[in-house]
Amino acid sequence: MVWPMLSATDYGRAGSLTVVVMSLIFALCLYRSNHHRNHRFALLILLAIFAATRASMGHAGEAGFWSIAMAVETVHLWSIGLWAGVVAVSGWQLLGMTARDKLNIDDRHYLERMSHAAMYAVIAIAATGIYNSWFRVGTLANLQNTSYGITLLVKIALVVVAIVLGGYNKYIGLPAAVRSPQALKHVRMVLQMESIVLFGVLAAAAMLTVQQPPSAM
């Protein structure tokens, strides 16, 4: 019963491909290559495929794999993953749990690139999120009176909180951290808080994929 579902349905094939791609991503993350550019390029391609297959398993997939809705949802999921990923790596791995006194030049360059990447991701999330909300929710009444709309509001609220935290670090925390060890601790704490909020955004996004949007009712 399981095999026919996996092999004979679009949902099953997309789910199977998602598992395969995820396994390849983990394998590449564990594999250390001297060809850094090729390694990163392969990871980006796999992440894009993962986002597309994951998007096809949600409401966007109903419009067809090559539809605008699929493209928008793929960019949306990829951007959320990018934002959450770079923030989590920065807060929990790069700066870590240890009390570091200062940032070295490589750390500063990475955090600057992280900040720019997060900013571009936020722009993409906002644009694609508005598109999705317009076509799936439709009216303010649907936003307030349906489980899909309420979950979407929670997701939007979490995104706003994450933007505020990220904005603090970009314009206040990071410039101060170059000069002050105490400010560096604040940057680490804010990054970790932002990553937790963003995982909440991911959870809300996952819930939206299994809820019926008002436009489909």
Side-chain angles (χ1 to χ4, degrees):
M1 181 177 179
V2 175
W3 174 249
M5 183 189 72
L6 293 176
S7 60
T9 65
D10 291 337
Y11 189 91
R13 286 191 290 267
S16 300
L17 182 57
T18 299
V19 173
V20 171
V21 173
M22 187 184 300
S23 301
L24 291 173
I25 290 172
F26 282 132
L28 272 180
C29 289
L30 294 174
Y31 172 70
R32 296 186 179 276
S33 172
N34 293 326
H35 303 286
H36 297 297
R37 289 186 178 180
N38 293 338
H39 190 261
R40 291 174 182 173
F41 182 73
L43 271 176
L44 288 174
I45 293 297
L46 287 173
L47 287 170
I49 295 173
F50 176 81
T53 53
R54 185 64 188 85
S56 71
M57 298 172 67
H59 302 299
E62 298 171 2
F65 191 82
W66 302 107
S67 63
I68 294 176
M70 262 294 300
V72 169
E73 186 69 4
T74 298
V75 172
H76 190 73
L77 293 178
W78 197 89
S79 300
I80 293 176
L82 172 65
W83 187 12
V86 296
V87 169
V89 169
S90 301
W92 297 98
Q93 182 175 349
L94 178 65
L95 300 182
M97 300 298 292
T98 58
R100 300 179 62 171
D101 294 326
K102 61 180 180 179
L103 293 171
N104 60 43
I105 189 67
D106 291 334
D107 292 342
R108 287 163 59 183
H109 286 166
Y110 173 82
L111 289 172
E112 288 174 2
R113 292 195 299 270
M114 178 275 297
S115 181
H116 291 316
M119 181 181 66
Y120 295 138
V122 168
I123 294 172
I125 290 167
T128 54
I130 291 171
Y131 178 92
N132 285 337
S133 299
W134 178 264
F135 283 97
R136 293 179 189 170
V137 178
T139 66
L140 287 176
N142 288 336
L143 192 63
Q144 298 170 347
N145 300 321
T146 64
S147 59
Y148 186 96
I150 293 171
T151 304
L152 180 59
L153 286 175
V154 171
K155 178 185 171 184
I156 292 172
L158 291 172
V159 168
V160 170
V161 172
I163 289 174
V164 171
L165 293 172
Y168 169 84
N169 264 347
K170 181 176 179 63
Y171 296 107
I172 299 175
L174 288 175
V178 176
R179 303 181 300 271
S180 168
Q182 187 62 35
L184 179 58
K185 294 179 182 179
H186 290 158
V187 168
R188 179 175 65 241
M189 180 183 68
V190 172
L191 280 170
Q192 292 172 352
M193 291 171 58
E194 186 180 354
S195 71
I196 293 171
V197 172
L198 286 172
F199 280 114
V201 173
L202 290 171
M207 290 180 63
L208 288 173
T209 63
V210 298
Q211 292 179 337
Q212 190 79 342
S215 61
M217 295 179 181

